[in-house]
Amino acid sequence: MKAPALRLPAVIADRASVAFLASLAVVALVAPLLNLAVPESSPLHLSSYAVGLIGKYLSYALLALAVDFIWGYCGILSLGHAAFFALGGYAMGMYLMRQIGTRGVYGHPVLPDFMVFLNWEELPWFWYGFDQFWFALVMVALAPGALAFVFGWLAFRSRVTGVYLSIITQALTYALMLAFFRNDMGFGGNNGFTDFKDLLGFDLQSDATRSALLAATAVALGGAYWTCRAVLASRAGRVLRAIRDAESRTRFLGYRVQDYKLWVFVLSAVLAGVAGALYVPQVGIINPSEFEPINSIEVVIWVAVGGRGTLWGAAAGAVLVNYAKTWFTGALPDVWLYALGAMFVGVTLFLPRGLAGLLPVRSRDA
Amino acid sequence: MNANLQPGGAVAAEPRAGAPRRGAAPGGRDPWREKREAAAARQPSVLTGDVLYLQQVTVSFDGFKALDDLTLHVDPGELLCVIGPNGAGKTTMMDVVTGKTRPDAGRVFFGNMTNLLTMSEPEIAQAGIGRKFQKPTVFDFLTVFENLELALAGEKSFWRTFFARLTPRDRERIDEVLETTGLAAKRDTPAGTLAHGQKQWLEIGMLLMQEPKVLLVDEPVAGMTPQETERTGELLLSLAGRHSVVVVEHDMEFVRSIARRVAVLHEGRVLAEGGMDAVQSDPRVIEVYLGA
Ligand SMILES: Nc1ncnc2c1ncn2[C@@H]1O[C@H](COP(=O)(O)OP(=O)(O)OP(=O)(O)O)[C@@H](O)[C@H]1O
Ligand SMILES: [Mg+2]
């Protein structure tokens, strides 16, 4: 027998991983195809609106994956991940704002509209470099990563765990929301950033760009999945699960628990930042409401609904819950929050392993 | 007085039905004696001072002194048994040594130089003090093999473990411990599904993997069958000599069979210390245990 031509890396060769990555690939290929290649008259045509929506869901899925990685495998329940998501989004937004150039309302070659409006004379120092795409990409990872590092270093070193940790992550995102609401912070105050024109020279309104963004989000989600799996499959990943199940016991084996928590927290925050960066060009706006504490709580609900501690379940949960949200806010807007609450309670009571628990595929290491 | 103090019971405990009576075998032959002596013979001949030294250690919980001016030393390679009624402070003593509880007063040294009171739990573990908990705590979701893997001695930083691969030497070591603990058949079962006695063994196995200089073993034979108890005794004795072993146990017969030196703890201090016979005939000890 010949060895199979295509050998997947062992960490993503299990059935669940293959199914998950294959569905991602299908979405990334088929959605653009149905949008770009199928004529609008055909019933198979996928609207540009739907493409944007799917792209948005996928960026939420990446955020959910980031939360599940630390919650499901290391027991860190972050209720502040929307903050990292928003920071990544703001970093991308700053790049998109500077790409507008003279096409803004005031036509200023350097300053974004809101700065002209505030009678600012020159660009604040922290806006330097954001005209470069590579710089923005670095900041997409660095801003949330650095914040997570400082926050995690302080919190995990003082052994803040459980509900206390969750509460201070809420405080973190709330504090950032208040800060970003202020006009003099230099991030556009409560209006945030919008009216983006193009990314790397590609028109954000064009169907091709939207399809490309959707595909990029799918690729990022797949890559993040692979990265998390690689960590979890290593001995370090087993230490993480040991920490989740018996934190103090792990210390007596000689592991510096705070370091483990810190590194996965930082990685998770970076993934959340990347999700935010992919989200912003697809929805066309970023403002301080992204920091709202309720947003972070919603992410945890997506993960719980999909199935904590599976990664793919969290991603699927994000898509399903947000699809439901889209439907409800269209048909029965007043009911949505109750429906979300009911979903959470229902899953907690009847499906402790989430929807993923209903499927026969089970990753061994959950 | 502390409600946890329940004198009696332990010393007077009957041997389990069917258990071969250890310690004092009929006809004066003591099969354990040779093992104890063999273990003692492996102790370093030149004593380089204590391996572990607790000096006037006091721990209070809300005014109640769990340890009260406790002074205790452990020699290199010795097997020390610590006995004492419930609530005597035996587990608290281990908590202090392993960094879980900080004493209000006193000093704790490892070797001659290392002050354990300034070190964190992982630092103490890495320095060579391993511990088996009274309530066995293994990682339920990991397999037996993986539990042992995590206990493997070596560098334990995040990045090291991220890139760590099991060397053939590591595998050998794990297989060895699987054999020693009789868990070879359970190698790939999640630890959560093990029987109580097997969890105890797994935890002892994890202790072995760490290759510590000092093993602190809290109630190793609780919940074990007589056969398992006997094997545990043999294992602990085989470790003494190369390692220092401190065993806390209520099972007096077990203690008699393995101990050369016994320390009796009562209300947070050492009440008596010495050979098993001497200790058991000490009137103060009898009083504490029998409440006379
Ligand atoms: N964290 C704590 N807070 C308050 N009291 C404690 C704490 N830990 C131990 N104690 C008390 O200290 C005393 C000594 O407890 P310890 O667990 O050391 O006893 P022990 O000798 O191990 O007993 P046992 O044989 O029952 O295991 C007990 O009265 C216990 O209730
Ligand atoms: Mg105890």
Side-chain angles (χ1 to χ4, degrees):
Chain A
M1 280 260 285
K2 270 187 149 182
L6 180 79
R7 276 266 297 285
L8 284 170
V11 297
I12 48 168
D14 61 294
R15 269 172 63 196
S17 295
V18 170
F20 175 67
L21 293 173
S23 355
L24 270 185
V26 167
V27 171
L29 292 174
V30 171
L33 206 66
L34 295 183
N35 175 246
L36 299 172
V38 176
E40 267 177 57
S41 52
S42 158
L44 282 179
H45 175 78
L46 190 70
S47 72
S48 303
Y49 170 74
V51 170
L53 214 51
I54 295 172
K56 184 173 96 167
Y57 293 163
L58 290 178
S59 67
Y60 283 151
L62 179 50
L63 175 58
L65 181 120
V67 167
D68 189 30
F69 178 55
I70 53 172
W71 184 33
Y73 294 93
C74 196
I76 304 170
L77 175 54
S78 167
L79 295 180
H81 255 53
F84 304 123
F85 180 82
L87 285 178
Y90 265 95
M92 177 57 85
M94 287 163 84
Y95 165 77
L96 296 174
M97 286 303 271
R98 295 209 57 184
Q99 290 308 103
I100 297 174
T102 53
R103 288 169 293 177
V105 177
Y106 296 106
H108 196 288
V110 178
L111 294 191
D113 277 349
F114 76 89
M115 292 185 192
V116 182
F117 183 76
L118 292 171
N119 294 319
W120 290 13
E121 302 284 310
E122 53 185 294
L123 204 63
W125 60 268
F126 50 84
W127 276 77
Y128 293 163
F130 278 96
D131 51 335
Q132 302 292 323
F133 187 66
W134 67 265
F135 184 83
L137 281 192
V138 170
M139 295 312 285
V140 158
L142 198 62
L147 176 69
F149 187 88
V150 173
F151 178 89
W153 193 77
L154 293 169
F156 300 136
R157 205 179 51 124
S158 2
R159 301 196 181 170
V160 181
T161 53
V163 70
Y164 298 101
L165 184 85
S166 303
I167 289 170
I168 60 171
T169 55
Q170 279 265 285
L172 173 77
T173 190
Y174 188 68
L176 282 169
M177 179 182 75
L178 296 182
F180 274 75
F181 261 125
R182 293 158 49 103
N183 275 327
D184 51 7
M185 271 284 283
F187 297 108
N190 61 346
N191 294 317
F193 309 146
T194 188
D195 288 331
F196 307 130
K197 304 287 189 242
D198 47 31
L199 191 158
L200 288 172
F202 297 103
D203 180 7
L204 283 174
Q205 306 308 320
S206 85
D207 286 348
T209 311
R210 281 163 177 268
S211 283
L213 281 169
L214 179 151
T217 313
V219 169
L221 179 55
Y225 181 84
W226 186 351
T227 307
C228 292
R229 275 269 164 259
V231 173
L232 293 172
S234 73
R235 192 183 299 167
R238 292 187 279 284
V239 176
L240 293 178
R241 268 162 278 155
I243 291 171
R244 175 193 66 188
D245 296 337
E247 178 168 335
S248 88
R249 183 71 182 91
T250 317
R251 285 203 188 94
F252 293 110
L253 287 180
Y255 292 100
R256 285 172 53 89
V257 166
Q258 66 269 41
D259 296 354
Y260 281 78
K261 287 186 169 180
L262 182 58
W263 288 120
V264 291
F265 192 65
V266 168
L267 173 57
S268 168
V270 169
L271 295 179
V274 171
L278 288 158
Y279 168 85
V280 166
Q282 299 189 82
V283 298
I285 184 167
I286 174 86
N287 62 37
S289 68
E290 295 298 337
F291 286 104
E292 269 177 30
I294 182 75
N295 289 356
S296 297
I297 295 175
E298 268 191 53
V299 183
V300 169
I301 298 180
W302 307 340
V303 176
V305 167
R308 173 188 172 200
T310 56
L311 296 182
W312 52 268
V319 173
L320 287 175
V321 175
N322 279 291
Y323 180 74
K325 183 177 185 172
T326 306
W327 185 85
F328 267 101
T329 44
L332 303 159
D334 299 335
V335 183
W336 166 240
L337 270 184
Y338 298 102
L340 183 68
M343 213 178 324
F344 186 52
V345 172
V347 164
T348 312
L349 290 180
F350 304 113
L351 289 175
R353 278 159 44 194
L355 296 174
L358 294 175
L359 297 180
V361 262
R362 201 67 201 126
S363 34
R364 186 196 66 82
D365 54 17
Chain B
M1 269 305 273
N2 170 24
N4 268 7
L5 259 172
Q6 299 161 350
V11 156
E14 287 298 310
R16 290 191 188 85
R21 196 177 151 76
R22 294 178 305 271
R29 222 187 97 256
D30 176 1
W32 286 85
R33 185 171 176 169
E34 290 157 35
K35 288 173 189 156
R36 284 200 301 268
E37 279 166 3
R42 286 193 304 270
Q43 284 187 23
S45 51
V46 184
L47 294 187
T48 46
D50 308 315
V51 155
L52 203 58
Y53 184 52
L54 290 88
Q55 189 185 32
Q56 299 179 309
V57 173
T58 299
V59 172
S60 12
F61 296 112
D62 305 323
F64 168 74
K65 285 186 174 164
L67 293 183
D68 185 6
D69 209 27
L70 173 77
T71 296
L72 190 72
H73 70 99
V74 181
D75 293 330
E78 87 164 320
L79 192 157
L80 170 71
C81 280
V82 177
I83 61 173
N86 291 116
K90 305 178 297 292
T91 300
T92 307
M93 181 266 295
M94 292 193 172
D95 288 346
V96 167
V97 173
T98 53
K100 188 176 182 193
T101 301
R102 296 288 175 206
D104 303 302
R107 308 203 294 169
V108 183
F109 284 98
F110 177 47
N112 291 326
M113 316 293 274
T114 318
N115 179 2
L116 292 180
L117 296 184
T118 60
M119 295 162 72
S120 68
E121 300 98 314
E123 282 168 350
I124 294 173
Q126 287 295 70
I129 298 182
R131 175 172 186 185
K132 184 213 145 313
F133 287 78
Q134 181 166 355
K135 176 177 168 289
T137 23
V138 296
F139 303 116
D140 288 353
F141 276 93
L142 300 177
T143 65
V144 168
F145 183 90
E146 290 168 337
N147 269 275
L148 294 175
E149 181 201 7
L150 288 199
L152 198 65
E155 261 288 338
K156 291 187 169 168
S157 75
F158 179 83
W159 295 105
R160 284 294 185 90
T161 50
F162 178 63
F163 290 110
R165 294 282 170 276
L166 280 175
T167 63
R169 171 89 196 78
D170 294 337
R171 283 180 192 285
E172 241 171 62
R173 178 94 190 92
I174 295 177
D175 286 337
E176 216 176 276
V177 170
L178 281 171
E179 283 306 322
T180 316
T181 52
L183 290 170
K186 298 278 179 184
R187 191 177 189 275
D188 296 315
T189 3
T193 64
L194 295 180
H196 183 80
Q198 291 173 323
K199 282 189 186 170
Q200 294 270 47
W201 273 94
L202 176 55
E203 221 186 329
I204 293 172
M206 289 164 75
L207 201 52
L208 298 179
M209 294 301 307
Q210 294 178 67
E211 299 173 13
K213 297 194 186 78
V214 178
L215 292 82
L216 304 176
V217 195
D218 205 348
E219 306 206 6
V221 300
M224 280 191 180
T225 65
Q227 287 79 6
E228 288 172 331
T229 302
E230 182 153 356
R231 276 198 16 232
T232 309
E234 278 170 14
L235 176 65
L236 291 175
L237 268 177
S238 75
L239 292 171
R242 277 167 298 147
H243 315 259
S244 302
V245 186
V246 180
V247 181
V248 163
E249 232 337 307
H250 281 295
D251 182 334
M252 282 302 152
E253 253 213 279
F254 177 75
V255 170
R256 168 170 286 281
S257 63
I258 63 170
R260 275 175 69 87
R261 190 161 75 92
V262 179
V264 185
L265 245 60
H266 176 54
E267 294 182 347
R269 31 167 94 227
V270 176
L271 187 68
E273 197 174 339
M276 189 64 184
D277 291 321
V279 158
Q280 257 183 329
S281 52
D282 188 311
R284 288 168 306 175
V285 176
I286 295 173
E287 189 182 312
V288 163
Y289 270 100
L290 302 178

